[in-house]
Each structure stands twice: as structure tokens, then as C-alpha cells.
Amino acid sequence: MKSIFSRARKILIGVVHLHPLPGSPRWHGRLDEVIKLGVADALAYERGGAHAVIVENFGDVPFTKTHVGPETIAAMAAAGCAVRDAVKRPIGFNVLRNDARAALALCAACGGTFIRVNVHCGAMLTDQGLIEGDACHTVRYREQICPGAEILADVHVKHAVPLGDWSIEDAAHDTVERGLADALIVSGVGTGQAADMKDVERVRRACPKTKLLLGSGVTVENAHDYLRLADGIIVGTSLKQDGKLANPVDPKRVAALVRAMPK
């Protein structure tokens, strides 16, 4: 299985924010419509030139802090297979808030090649409570069902604060060296908010040889600055119509961002 980072010198991963799924408070009973909208967003990313897409259960607030229900995995599998059939780009999964094994199972079932894990190592205080990383079981489970899938792991993930005095450098180093993550993600404090450039610089210095992604807040205006240090970006909000999270993905915005990226 080829690394997603082999597709370009700098990569853009577009986020497919699935609408509420079965079992979530805002579920409206039309999975076919959820899948249709998800596929449309994935196709818009592909038309705009994104290098990969990642599917996540963004509409399922409030999120569980550990394992999601079987109904969520079933619905995400249906959506993931539909996206897989529609686009010719690598696909990945992020099962919110932190169900890495479900994401790996989706890779195995839907032909995915990577996952995002919000808390892979250490512990973070979040709106779901205390979330602890489980790199031990995540990495071992990967070897059982989808050995080639890459683990993209957040460092001091958004919508959370680290438990204790754990520097971002130490978190990054442990996530790679002890958690065996394939790439690191640095984000801002919340969805759509830009990362602190100093944090990006600190992680880059701590792990100079590790692939590094920006996980939120990247726009046409700031992409070039961030990509001096990072190997890629994960973007959703700024690529929606009018830059609004609730809107569909705009392929023209995707194309503009791709053009703004260093070649």
C-alpha cells in the first residue's frame, strides 16, 4: 500500500463531514441522503485537485469519548464504500471522538489507507471528559486487519487541553517514537481555527524527519506560510461554499487552495 504522502510533495486531504448518523441526537432517518451528500463533497474535493479525502462522523455530536456504537460503524461503512466507489483518491477515516479501532476496521472494509486519531498517546481533557490514548492496542489491531494503513495522530488535539505539564515537543516525540504514529497533526484550538505557528515550529523541531500535517484553519491566504514547515494540510471548513461549515464543498475553493500550495 502506497503512502498518501507519495502523491505530491505537499498534500491536501479534504474532510467529508458526514451529516448525523443513526443513533445520534440529530439523526433524521435518511441514510441515503447522508451518503449522497458525502459522496458529493468527496467528488468536489477530487474535482478541485485534493490528493485524498477523509470521512468522519462530524454530525454525531455530542461524541462518545471511546467506542462508538455498531450503528455508527455500519453507517460509516456504507458511506465509506460509496465514497470509495465514487472517487479515485485515497480515502481515510476519523471516528469521533477517538475510536481508532473502528477507523481501522472501516479501512479494512472500505479500502481505506489511513486514519486520524485525536488522542493516540497521553491524556487530554476534552468536552467528552478525560480521553486517554491507546496506541498499544491501536497499533497491534492495525497489524491484524490492515497492516498498510497509516496512522495520522494529533498532538495536543483541538477542543482539548493536555493533562498535566506535557509540552507539545514531548507529546510529539512520544507519539512518534513510543506510539509509532506515521505522521503528526497540529491544529488550532477548535474546528476551523488556525494553528499557532509557534506550535508548528516546535513540533517540526522536535520531530524533523516525521511527516507533519496542519489539522485546522488552513486557507488560501495562510497555506503557503504553514507549508514551509508542514508536509500537508487537512481542510474542510474553508473549502465549503462561502467558507461556512454547514455548506457543501466548493470545488473552486479546493482548486484555489491547491494552486496556493508550494509545488
Side-chain angles (χ1 to χ4, degrees), residues 89-108:
R89 299 288 192 268
I91 68 169
F93 294 92
N94 183 21
V95 183
L96 300 167
R97 173 70 187 243
N98 205 56
D99 197 339
R101 283 196 276 182
L104 288 168
L106 288 164
C107 280

Side-chain angles (χ1 to χ4, degrees), residues 12 44-45 48 219-221 235-244 248-260:
L12 165 60
Y45 284 124
T219 65
V220 168
E221 292 75 22
V235 189
T237 303
S238 73
L239 301 181
K240 303 294 185 72
Q241 292 176 9
D242 300 320
K244 295 182 178 179
V249 173
D250 182 347
K252 293 181 180 178
R253 283 179 170 259
V254 180
L257 182 55
V258 171
R259 288 194 298 270

Side-chain angles (χ1 to χ4, degrees), residues 25-36:
R26 295 176 177 172
W27 162 243
H28 293 305
R30 291 292 303 275
L31 185 58
D32 56 342
E33 184 66 19
V34 172
I35 293 172
K36 178 181 177 181

Side-chain angles (χ1 to χ4, degrees), residues 15-72:
V15 184
V16 175
H17 291 127
L18 293 177
H19 286 233
L21 300 175
S24 66
R26 295 176 177 172
W27 162 243
H28 293 305
R30 291 292 303 275
L31 185 58
D32 56 342
E33 184 66 19
V34 172
I35 293 172
K36 178 181 177 181
L37 293 170
V39 168
D41 279 350
L43 287 169
Y45 284 124
E46 184 175 56
R47 286 197 299 273
H51 304 98
V53 297
I54 185 166
V55 180
E56 63 178 41
N57 56 323
F58 187 80
D60 285 354
V61 291
F63 302 119
T64 66
K65 69 176 183 177
T66 53
H67 304 302
V68 300
E71 69 282 359
T72 300

